[in-house]
Amino acid sequence: MQNFDFILFGATGDLAMRKIFPSLYQAYYDGLLSLEGKIIATSRTKFGRKDFLKRLETQSKIHIKNYDEKKWEEFTHNIYYLSININEVKEFNLLNQQLSKNSKNIIIYFSISPEFFIQACENLTLVGLNDKRVKIVLEKPLGMDLKSCCEINEKISKFYKETQIYRIDHYLGKESVRNILTLRAFNPIFQALWNKKYIQCIEISVFETLGVENRGEFYDHTGALRDMLQNHILQILSLIAMKIPKNFDANSIRKAKLKILKSLKPLKIDTLNKQVIRAQYVKNEEFKSYLEEKNIKAKSQTETFVALKAELMNKTWQGVPFYLRTGKRMAESFAHIVISFKNKKNTANDINKLIISLQPHHRISFEMNIKKIESDTDFETKILNLNLNHNSTMQSYERLILDIIESNPASFNHKEELEAAWKWVDSILKNWKNKKSELFFYPAKSWGPKQAFELIEKDGCEWYNI
């Protein structure tokens, strides 16, 4: 592993403590980070290095799975802390002075609100931290709609080249997601069946049993559509539906994904309300309603659940419905892709299904029908399971941070991908803003509103719940 310096803006935040520092430590524990690399933590909070390390000890160490006291001491020995006001360019000079001498690989990670991205990039540029040594990492959400996304991309491009920008989506670091293209490309059985002739419908679901927790202020401005569907779920859809490129390099993969995102059939006003269901959880036994959560506006219309039907306008997939859904305070927590294959009898109970589980388990399952023992006419469904869970499986952020250090952008969003996704989602947001669609409700810790079930069942499909 080459030497590097890692600058983290927002180092005292929840994401930094839960994901970024534990991932950096784990990479060091695994022998994948150089001892010579500096980690420079920054935030607005004014305290010294010792105070920051104490905070790291109490808030970050608890999220580490392979803690070793000696390794932890070695790891934290290379962590430094600076209090920085993003609006003060003179403070960025101090940051520049903290870097290793002759550093040739500098990663600057923005674990901060996107509203600060542009100012931070400008000040970094003013102190010379935008040359070819530097890569910047942008956390989501990148904008709140197409206009704001384009504005951020355009302004940042004045300071950094596209090859220097890594827009992170942690779902693209999941082992099971990274396995999708391999599964499709190197198994002839799936190559032959991966099209509208053999596939009845495709479902992508991401459910959480948690509510908004301490993210009320952020979530009430964002909602489920922006928080999960516009980025994670549409990225998964593009990997499922894209044409397998001849080469698996970053440029080829990004082009293939972009082609799919641009082929999403626009949701027109006359069909939008029939194809998009939005809902909000309400009180159920000991579980609060969304409106009772901390920092939620009274009478908020923000959705905590979305289910929709998407279609692609290309020869391979035309006519195949893609059902997408995500929600908070659901009955179970899971994320999976379900591909339902057609059968001549067209009955739901004997359809072959390929299930790619993304969380909490990493596995690939195939539902197939076999003859019941001692019967010549009856059959039963059995599941073939391929378990991808392994003690050595990297967490998403660890894998993606290592990709950044090694300058591998294949699992990161190109600006055109994000803009294409926002363009498709914008019609939904505008419809909601104009109050032209109904907000439904569902009990906390349930499977969602009945309208979501009606959406998929009218096409002869069904949600797969585990």
Side-chain angles (χ1 to χ4, degrees):
M1 175 64 69
Q2 58 181 292
N3 295 339
F4 69 98
D5 281 348
F6 190 96
I7 300 170
L8 177 59
F9 285 93
T12 58
D14 183 62
L15 178 65
M17 292 295 171
R18 284 190 305 108
K19 296 293 184 181
I20 300 173
F21 281 112
S23 296
L24 286 165
Y25 166 80
Q26 189 62 44
Y28 174 70
Y29 179 90
D30 293 338
L32 301 173
L33 287 190
S34 167
L35 274 172
E36 298 179 31
K38 272 189 176 182
I39 298 171
I40 304 169
T42 81
S43 78
R44 291 176 296 181
T45 310
K46 292 187 179 295
F47 48 47
R49 179 174 182 267
K50 287 185 178 179
D51 292 327
F52 178 75
L53 292 180
K54 284 182 182 178
R55 188 163 182 162
L56 204 62
E57 181 87 11
T58 58
Q59 295 186 18
S60 189
K61 196 171 76 172
I62 58 175
H63 299 290
I64 290 170
K65 65 177 182 179
N66 291 319
Y67 177 74
D68 178 276
E69 189 172 351
K70 183 180 178 182
K71 289 285 186 182
W72 178 257
E73 287 180 5
E74 292 172 355
F75 170 69
T76 56
H77 180 74
N78 289 334
I79 296 178
Y80 302 83
Y81 181 80
L82 280 177
S83 174
I84 286 183
N85 182 340
I86 284 176
N87 296 312
E88 296 292 334
V89 66
K90 63 182 180 182
E91 297 188 11
F92 282 73
N93 282 313
L94 297 174
L95 179 62
N96 205 0
Q97 293 167 17
Q98 209 42 267
L99 294 170
S100 305
K101 290 183 179 180
N102 303 316
S103 180
K104 295 181 181 179
N105 190 9
I106 301 170
I107 294 111
I108 304 175
Y109 198 119
F110 291 168
S111 182
I112 53 178
S113 173
E115 65 187 279
F116 300 116
F117 287 176
I118 297 165
Q119 186 63 63
C121 287
E122 182 177 353
N123 287 339
L124 287 164
T125 299
L126 288 172
V127 300
L129 286 175
N130 71 326
D131 57 33
K132 63 181 181 179
R133 302 172 301 160
V134 177
K135 290 166 280 192
I136 63 168
V137 186
L138 307 180
E139 269 287 350
K140 77 172 185 74
L142 202 68
M144 296 294 283
D145 53 22
L146 177 60
K147 182 180 178 182
S148 55
C149 178
C150 290
E151 182 180 359
I152 292 172
N153 282 330
E154 181 183 355
K155 290 187 176 180
I156 288 178
S157 69
K158 295 178 181 178
F159 308 112
Y160 294 92
K161 296 177 181 178
E162 181 62 27
T163 52
Q164 293 177 279
I165 302 171
Y166 290 72
R167 299 171 188 83
I168 198 165
D169 182 334
H170 71 271
Y171 267 63
L172 298 182
K174 291 180 179 293
E175 183 65 26
S176 44
V177 173
R178 294 169 81 95
N179 204 19
I180 290 172
L181 293 185
T182 302
L183 177 73
R184 292 182 52 200
F186 299 103
N187 291 286
I189 186 173
F190 293 129
Q191 288 181 22
L193 302 177
W194 216 263
N195 55 62
K196 64 184 179 183
K197 184 177 179 181
Y198 298 104
I199 292 178
Q200 181 184 14
C201 63
I202 294 176
E203 168 200 335
I204 304 172
S205 297
V206 180
F207 274 11
E208 296 176 284
T209 55
L210 293 175
V212 297
E213 306 306 302
N214 295 318
R215 300 171 71 220
E217 188 174 354
F218 162 79
Y219 197 88
D220 208 38
H221 286 90
T222 306
L225 185 71
R226 292 185 177 100
D227 189 41
M228 293 296 301
L229 197 142
Q230 180 274 333
N231 39 74
H232 304 321
I233 293 179
L234 287 186
Q235 279 291 311
I236 293 170
L237 184 152
S238 65
L239 289 169
I240 286 291
M242 64 180 266
K243 183 178 180 181
I244 299 294
K246 292 181 180 178
N247 300 307
F248 274 27
D249 61 281
N251 189 47
S252 299
I253 290 172
R254 286 171 155 187
K255 280 184 176 180
K257 287 196 296 176
L258 178 61
K259 197 169 182 179
I260 287 298
L261 293 169
K262 285 186 172 182
S263 74
L264 281 163
K265 186 177 180 180
L267 293 164
K268 297 181 180 180
I269 295 297
D270 58 338
T271 60
L272 196 148
N273 289 336
K274 297 177 182 178
Q275 290 185 220
V276 182
I277 305 298
R278 66 176 181 135
Q280 188 183 96
Y281 62 82
V282 294
K283 184 177 176 62
N284 184 22
E285 296 179 350
E286 75 271 26
F287 297 101
K288 296 178 182 178
S289 71
Y290 176 72
L291 296 180
E292 293 173 318
E293 300 281 12
K294 187 178 178 180
N295 295 324
I296 302 300
K297 291 179 182 178
K299 299 181 181 180
S300 172
Q301 293 286 294
T302 298
E303 79 288 353
T304 59
F305 177 97
V306 178
L308 63 82
K309 175 183 176 180
E311 297 174 273
L312 297 175
M313 299 184 296
N314 64 24
K315 291 181 180 179
T316 303
W317 296 108
Q318 196 164 25
V320 177
F322 286 73
Y323 295 102
L324 318 177
R325 63 173 177 166
T326 183
K328 287 189 171 294
R329 275 285 181 250
M330 307 307 295
E332 298 287 347
S333 286
F334 59 80
H336 62 217
I337 304 156
V338 181
I339 294 123
S340 296
F341 293 91
K342 292 179 179 179
N343 75 62
K344 293 180 181 180
K345 293 181 181 179
N346 200 30
T347 53
N349 63 348
D350 59 350
I351 291 177
N352 292 138
K353 293 180 186 292
L354 176 68
I355 302 114
I356 303 172
S357 297
L358 312 178
Q359 64 185 39
H361 309 290
H362 296 282
R363 66 186 178 208
I364 299 170
S365 308
F366 190 71
E367 289 191 357
M368 59 187 301
N369 301 305
I370 63 169
K371 184 182 76 66
K372 282 187 176 179
I373 295 174
E374 298 180 355
S375 173
D376 291 329
T377 57
D378 294 333
F379 68 89
E380 60 184 341
T381 301
K382 292 290 186 180
I383 301 176
L384 296 177
N385 272 323
L386 175 61
N387 191 354
L388 301 178
N389 285 323
H390 193 277
N391 290 334
S392 64
T393 299
M394 284 187 186
Q395 296 298 307
S396 300
Y397 276 95
E398 181 186 355
R399 177 69 272 167
L400 293 172
I401 287 170
L402 292 172
D403 282 345
I404 297 162
I405 294 170
E406 292 296 323
S407 301
N408 176 16
S411 294
F412 297 84
N413 293 317
H414 189 277
K415 71 183 184 73
E416 290 186 22
E417 290 178 59
L418 281 181
E419 290 172 6
W422 273 122
K423 184 177 180 180
W424 187 71
V425 164
D426 254 12
S427 62
I428 304 173
L429 293 172
K430 288 175 182 176
N431 193 59
W432 292 354
K433 185 178 180 181
N434 295 332
K435 298 181 180 179
K436 292 184 177 180
S437 66
E438 187 174 354
L439 177 67
F440 300 105
F441 299 95
Y442 62 100
K445 292 290 285 182
S446 71
W447 293 107
K450 66 176 184 178
Q451 291 81 5
F453 289 90
E454 293 167 356
L455 171 73
I456 191 170
E457 287 169 359
K458 66 185 179 183
D459 288 336
C461 298
E462 60 182 6
W463 295 115
Y464 189 90
N465 294 325
I466 58 172

